[in-house]
Amino acid sequence: MAPISRDFFARPSVEVAPDLLGCVLEHETGAGLVAVELTEVEAYAGQHDPASHAYRGKTQRNAVMFGPPGHAYVYFTYGMHFCVNLVCLGENTASAVLLRAGAVIEGEDLARARRTRRKPGGDPKTPKAPRTADGVSLAPRDLARGPARLCQALDIDRSLDGADVCAADSPLRVRCERAGPSTTARSGTPLARGDDPPDPPAPAGTHPPGTPLRGTTPGAPGPRGGAALREGSTPARSGRIVSGPRVGVSAAAEVPWRFWFEGEPSVSVYRAHVPPRGGRGAGGAGGVRGSGTPP
DNA sequence: CTAGGGATCAGCT
DNA sequence: GCTGATCCCTAGC
């Protein structure tokens, strides 16, 4: 599998996102290499996307998003979690794809150790027993199931903000079998959806979750060839890509810019946006909360 | 379901 | 410089 071309990322994020499924993200550290096959991603459209960190312009935190494509934008949130995005399109467009989940295909032991290690400085007053002392109870599918878990499994933090994932000598890289040269990406099959994605996320009618995108023939591998599953410890990816609303995003929730492999166990649990509580109208009509993997 | 924890940023002094 | 609301989440009840 070849390192990915920068041209692969020099496209709108909504085109890059589904193409990233099945590609491999790997991080090499002194402790070893952990690689995941990406199974769930979300596209963000930059300054005109109200859900994007870039919506309010360039800041120190999000500066990388305004740079050239093919670099990692890593941010810290909720006081304890990192999430990683890959920058798309061109300079100053600030579009990116959030990597939401993956299946570990290499370095599983290391990934498990990182995911089960107790946080340093745990509260001494409530020394809860480590939940998984040996880590064996952590299912493989849960190693990188979710954007923050993925970062934890790969040991991604802000020191990797700006890392060039197209460089072969970078500690953080993306490999993709089918998207090596830009040709595949550019002349690739267009989205099977009839409509073009709206540039600024504008209401474009409802798009039910789990709408098939391509590779709709079961058993017939899509463009990424059955997701290039090297056999071994990894469960079979379906190769069928579906899309739905982005997770936890209040703005432009109707835009189906989340993409994942149908039926893939490492895809994160869907959570719709949670509106502020106790607020006006109380109707409770507020946020629809999904649960489980979307259909 | 909730608490947790840190950074960010708009808005203010 | 400070304050408070917010944040694309996770683990543990």
Side-chain angles (χ1 to χ4, degrees):
Chain A
M1 220 184 261
I4 205 159
S5 150
R6 192 170 314 282
D7 284 345
F8 176 89
F9 293 104
R11 297 178 289 151
S13 57
V14 71
E15 292 179 24
V16 174
D19 286 349
L20 274 172
L21 296 175
C23 293
V24 172
L25 175 72
E26 61 186 21
H27 185 205
E28 192 161 21
T29 69
L33 178 84
V34 173
V36 298
E37 180 177 330
L38 298 173
T39 58
E40 180 190 357
V41 298
E42 274 177 7
Y44 288 82
Q47 292 207 64
H48 297 115
D49 182 351
S52 170
H53 282 175
Y55 187 52
R56 285 177 177 73
K58 185 176 178 177
T59 65
Q60 190 171 27
R61 178 210 208 186
N62 65 22
V64 168
M65 271 204 291
F66 289 79
H71 293 254
Y73 164 51
V74 181
Y75 66 86
F76 186 69
T77 190
Y78 284 99
M80 58 194 93
H81 301 304
F82 296 99
C83 296
V84 61
N85 302 253
L86 301 178
V87 178
C88 298
L89 213 52
E91 297 226 20
N92 291 315
T93 57
S95 59
V97 174
L98 172 67
L99 308 184
R100 290 198 51 90
V104 174
I105 59 173
E106 208 173 329
E108 183 174 323
D109 291 345
L110 179 54
R112 177 171 285 106
R114 287 168 173 162
R115 290 269 296 117
T116 53
R117 186 170 49 214
R118 300 277 301 157
K119 283 191 177 70
D123 189 347
K125 297 187 67 177
T126 54
K128 293 163 185 157
R131 52 190 189 277
T132 55
D134 49 14
V136 289
S137 62
L138 193 56
R141 74 177 60 169
D142 291 328
L143 291 174
R145 187 188 202 191
R149 291 163 165 183
L150 185 150
C151 284
Q152 194 179 5
L154 294 191
D155 197 24
I156 292 172
D157 61 22
R158 277 228 99 195
S159 71
L160 288 167
D161 188 44
D164 183 359
V165 301
C166 305
D169 59 346
S170 171
L172 185 69
R173 344 176 250 271
V174 173
R175 291 182 288 121
C176 201
E177 184 151 278
R178 43 176 232 77
S182 63
T183 62
T184 313
R186 291 191 180 281
S187 61
T189 321
L191 296 188
R193 283 184 298 145
D195 55 326
D196 268 355
D199 181 5
T206 4
H207 187 99
T211 302
L213 215 54
R214 65 166 93 145
T216 50
T217 309
R224 77 198 37 68
L229 265 267
R230 271 182 292 300
E231 219 2 83
S233 50
T234 51
R237 244 65 87 211
S238 77
R240 171 162 158 160
I241 295 173
V242 290
S243 69
R246 293 179 290 189
V247 171
V249 170
S250 55
E254 71 286 349
V255 182
W257 281 359
R258 173 180 179 238
F259 303 91
W260 67 97
F261 279 137
E262 186 178 57
E264 161 60 35
S266 66
V267 169
S268 69
V269 172
Y270 176 68
R271 295 188 71 190
H273 169 68
V274 184
R277 262 210 321 178
R280 16 182 325 95
V288 180
R289 234 167 203 278
S291 73
T293 302

